[in-house]
Amino acid sequence: MIILPAIDIKGGTCVRLYQGDLTTAHKVADSALDTAKKFEALGCRWLHMVDLDGALQGMALNSGIFLEIAKRTKLRIELGGGIRTADQIRHYLNKGIRRVVLGSIAIEEPNFVRRAVANFGPESVAVGIDAKDGYICGDAWTSTSDIHYIEMAEKMADMGVRTFIYTDISRDGTLTGPDLEGLAALRQALPDIEIIASGGVRTAADIRAIKDLAIDGVICGKAIYEGTLDLSEALEIARGEDHV
């Protein structure tokens, strides 16, 4: 299992949100690059980044920050937020971003996802399965659809998607624990697909519980910044070096 520490950018600043509400954004670090370098020094191989301004406005913003980190670290960067065109995907991948995450566009234009996977490869494209009460949310999590999250994932898998980031929005940034039931159901529905968990992680026990479900990765944000999760310990658990 892999651990992906998270850096969310709003207005050029590293922030965290509560339940995806942009009005709750608060600064958690002075420098995205310095923060990324700290994660790298601890042994992280991946970094999950989100362009919150881009997600809200439906276009790629803050790109300079992401590309600088891609250039000045060896981290594999997974980037989402406002990526809605093939040119944006191509630009980011050509500049060192390892994988892009498609969110609202997957709801609005599913065939765009199919083309993206065909053109850029399944290793370069992930789909965000962002759900609340079991149903998919879009438009930077401001709108709820009538599409069940497993139905959405199965549809995207049929289009060639091989990596999903599953986020229970009601838990995101709350430190109340991950949606283990939702993750287990998604794993059962898609046993051969890469699933990355997001939302609610608080402690090392949560990392162990997610790993026990055979989930492939977990995104850790607020727990790292608040100090409730020791990143080094999380990495040990993910690598199978946990002694507890």
Side-chain angles (χ1 to χ4, degrees):
M1 187 172 78
I2 60 173
I3 301 294
L4 301 92
I7 297 179
D8 293 356
I9 301 295
K10 184 176 186 294
T13 301
C14 303
V15 302
R16 295 306 299 167
L17 308 181
Y18 183 86
Q19 296 184 335
D21 184 349
L22 289 168
T23 66
T24 66
H26 64 279
K27 183 178 178 180
V28 293
D30 290 325
S31 166
L33 178 60
D34 289 347
T35 302
K37 286 182 175 180
K38 290 177 183 176
F39 293 152
E40 182 179 31
L42 286 172
C44 294
R45 295 181 294 113
W46 280 88
L47 177 64
H48 179 82
M49 301 197 75
V50 179
D51 185 345
L52 294 173
D53 298 304
L56 185 63
Q57 298 183 37
M59 63 182 69
L61 300 171
N62 298 301
S63 61
I65 294 172
F66 311 125
L67 299 183
E68 181 184 29
I69 292 174
K71 182 178 180 180
R72 298 181 62 181
T73 74
K74 295 181 180 179
L75 291 165
R76 303 169 187 176
I77 297 175
E78 172 183 273
L79 175 63
I83 300 173
R84 303 175 66 87
T85 70
D87 285 343
Q88 290 171 336
I89 297 174
R90 186 176 297 105
H91 173 71
Y92 278 132
L93 295 179
N94 286 344
K95 293 292 186 177
I97 300 301
R98 183 61 64 93
R99 180 164 64 202
V100 298
V101 182
L102 304 180
S104 297
I105 191 71
I107 305 170
E108 300 163 9
E109 298 182 43
N111 283 327
F112 175 82
V113 177
R114 187 197 303 274
R115 294 192 299 271
V117 171
N119 291 334
F120 301 105
E123 71 283 354
S124 299
V125 178
V127 166
I129 301 295
D130 306 322
K132 189 172 185 178
D133 299 324
Y135 290 89
I136 292 292
C137 295
D139 300 321
W141 297 357
T142 60
S143 64
T144 305
S145 74
D146 59 358
I147 306 169
H148 192 268
Y149 77 100
I150 290 181
E151 176 190 350
M152 175 74 170
E154 289 175 334
K155 181 178 181 179
M156 292 292 105
D158 287 343
M159 292 185 173
V161 176
R162 290 295 173 265
T163 303
F164 294 103
I165 291 89
Y166 170 67
T167 303
D168 181 342
I169 295 171
S170 66
R171 296 171 187 260
D172 188 71
T174 66
L175 301 179
T176 55
D179 178 15
L180 297 176
E181 183 178 346
L183 287 165
L186 187 58
R187 170 49 76 212
Q188 183 175 10
L190 298 170
D192 300 320
I193 298 298
E194 183 179 18
I195 298 171
I196 297 173
S198 175
V201 169
R202 175 181 174 83
T203 66
D206 293 329
I207 303 296
R208 296 187 190 99
I210 291 171
K211 187 176 183 181
D212 287 344
L213 294 177
I215 299 302
D216 302 280
V218 54
I219 294 169
C220 306
K222 191 172 185 179
I224 296 173
Y225 298 108
E226 294 283 329
T228 63
L229 175 68
D230 183 285
L231 183 54
S232 295
E233 184 180 5
L235 290 166
E236 289 180 359
I237 295 168
R239 290 192 297 257
E241 300 172 4
D242 184 29
H243 303 295
V244 175

